[in-house]
Amino acid sequence: MSSPEAHVRPERSAGRGPSGPVVAITGAASGVGHALALRLVESEQVRKVLAIDERRGDVPGATWRVLDVRDPAIAEKLRGADVVVHLALDMDLDSDPKARSAFNVRGTQTVLTAAAAAGVHRVVLCTSAMVYGAQADNDVPLAEDAPLRATSEASFVDDLLEIERLGRRAPRAHPGLNVTILRPAVLVGGTDTALTRYFESPRLLVVAGSRPCWQFCHVDDLVSALEYAVLEKVDGEMAVGCDGWLEQEEVEELSGIRRMELPPAIAFGAASRLHRLGLTPSPAGDLAYTMHPWVVSGSRLHDAGWRPKWTNEEVLAELLEEVAGRNSVAGRRLGRKDATTLGAAGATVALVGAAAVVRRARKRRGL
């Protein structure tokens, strides 16, 4: 892979004068897509925003195109666009995994093909720093050209890796098409993932012998990084996140949530059984991302002049405020009554609590 410097464009290419680029955003009705659309319609460097989603959202000033991103008719809707930011992904933990994967992969494939057919010169994709994999021997921080060592054992990672493969192949299949990929750290700000639900547990699970390092990315910072990509200030593959990271001890001190330490065999065994029984949405592979470091440097965006506005401490504080009052067991949301029952039963940590419930139920049945 080329050096980070090769991915920085001269400042003069950041805009196109008063006209600016026409930017199409998929998934513009909600989430990151909605936030980006709101930002770009206010930008003097963007001429027009085409908002694409299955439903119309509230973005004054945007031109709406209502359709499914898997519909080949999207090619016609993209005509006239200079840049497409593809954010229409299903990352709902409660979605059917097969249907979710089919939507994510087919949607990305259709958007890339349609963009090329419509004469779009740049597509921006957003995956996750999870694609680097959470490995015990990872450098801290990881260089952005580090190999992608994620496995298919964690939530959504298969989809993300396939989306990146499609993104890398697209310029070869469609000369003249540039594909830029952003990989945010743990995303916070109206998000709901297995990693944000980790902080909904009454105790923080720590697998014995692990060295967790936590790096966050606020949605506001991701949106500003996407704007950099839209305005051609950067290209290639780059990571987005707060500067630095927090050790597990710092997270526990800042959050006020105590840890529960478990041997690896017990933690992974319980997580695997509970997921296999359909009791929790998170596969055992998600545990790796709470055990091993996958902190990223973000040097390419920094070289282009971008800086995060949020610190890890500030994002953690916002996350804790968002999840206040919620209770999760191994990623499974519980009602207040269930949470109280589990608490009384000694379920002080997600996996231990859920495993205890299963064991007691089997004991009552004489299994």
Side-chain angles (χ1 to χ4, degrees):
M1 187 176 288
S2 57
S3 66
E5 288 74 18
H7 293 256
V8 180
R9 294 292 183 89
E11 188 65 25
R12 60 184 173 80
S13 67
R16 299 178 185 172
S19 58
V22 175
V23 183
I25 303 170
T26 69
S30 61
V32 178
H34 182 256
L36 179 63
L38 288 173
R39 184 183 182 100
L40 294 188
V41 294
E42 297 296 327
S43 172
E44 294 181 356
Q45 294 179 291
V46 172
R47 180 170 31 145
K48 184 178 182 180
V49 172
L50 302 177
I52 299 172
D53 211 315
E54 292 179 292
R55 63 179 178 85
R56 187 184 178 91
D58 183 17
V59 184
T63 300
W64 281 90
R65 303 283 186 263
V66 180
L67 81 166
D68 189 317
V69 292
R70 295 168 294 179
D71 188 340
I74 194 172
E76 189 58 36
K77 306 297 184 183
L78 293 178
R79 293 205 181 277
D82 301 295
V83 183
V84 174
V85 186
H86 179 48
L87 298 170
L89 299 177
D90 181 0
M91 294 295 169
D92 189 340
L93 285 170
D94 298 318
S95 295
D96 174 73
K98 289 184 178 178
R100 181 177 64 211
S101 182
F103 176 84
N104 290 337
V105 174
R106 177 67 182 278
T108 302
Q109 190 172 40
T110 303
V111 167
L112 287 166
T113 302
V120 173
H121 78 274
R122 170 178 292 244
V123 174
V124 180
L125 302 177
C126 184
T127 59
S128 167
M130 291 178 75
V131 297
Y132 289 106
Q135 306 288 341
D137 61 349
N138 275 348
D139 291 335
V140 181
L142 287 162
E144 284 167 300
D145 60 357
L148 307 186
R149 300 200 291 162
T151 68
S152 61
E153 297 172 351
S155 299
F156 311 115
V157 169
D158 260 356
D159 292 1
L160 299 176
L161 289 171
E162 183 58 26
I163 287 168
E164 293 220 359
R165 282 191 286 266
L166 291 169
R168 284 192 293 273
R169 287 200 299 261
R172 297 196 294 268
H174 308 287
L177 180 65
N178 174 292
V179 177
T180 298
I181 300 174
L182 271 64
R183 301 166 177 155
V186 179
L187 194 59
V188 175
T191 59
D192 177 27
T193 68
L195 293 168
T196 59
R197 288 191 185 188
Y198 176 80
F199 293 91
E200 296 179 12
S201 299
R203 298 290 173 90
L204 298 178
L205 171 64
V206 176
V207 178
S210 64
R211 58 173 188 130
C213 293
W214 289 90
Q215 181 186 35
F216 301 98
C217 177
H218 195 275
V219 164
D220 291 348
D221 283 335
L222 175 57
V223 167
S224 71
L226 287 166
E227 185 179 26
Y228 258 60
V230 164
L231 298 177
E232 301 186 25
K233 295 181 179 181
V234 290
D235 64 12
E237 300 164 3
M238 65 209 72
V240 192
C242 299
D243 292 334
W245 62 90
L246 299 174
E247 303 286 349
Q248 182 71 21
E249 292 76 14
E250 294 177 285
V251 167
E252 291 168 18
E253 182 179 353
L254 289 167
S255 67
I257 307 174
R258 291 189 293 166
R259 71 166 60 190
M260 172 66 76
E261 194 162 307
L262 289 177
I266 292 177
F268 276 95
S272 179
R273 287 193 298 274
L274 291 166
H275 184 65
R276 191 169 57 249
L277 292 169
L279 297 175
T280 61
S282 299
D286 284 347
L287 274 179
Y289 290 88
T290 69
M291 293 174 58
H292 307 305
W294 47 293
V295 173
V296 289
S297 71
S299 61
R300 289 177 179 161
L301 275 163
H302 281 230
D303 289 345
W306 179 89
R307 294 292 184 275
K309 292 187 189 258
W310 291 72
T311 66
N312 282 301
E313 291 85 352
E314 290 169 341
V315 180
L316 176 59
E318 172 148 323
L319 172 58
L320 292 171
E321 186 176 335
E322 285 187 3
V323 304
R326 298 176 188 167
N327 296 278
S328 289
V329 165
R332 180 185 179 186
R333 286 266 171 78
L334 302 174
R336 187 171 299 175
K337 181 178 179 181
D338 292 331
T340 302
T341 301
L342 285 173
T348 56
V349 69
L351 289 174
V352 174
V357 171
V358 172
R359 286 198 300 271
R360 286 198 301 275
R362 287 179 173 173
K363 186 175 180 180
R364 286 196 298 270
R365 294 197 303 266
L367 298 178

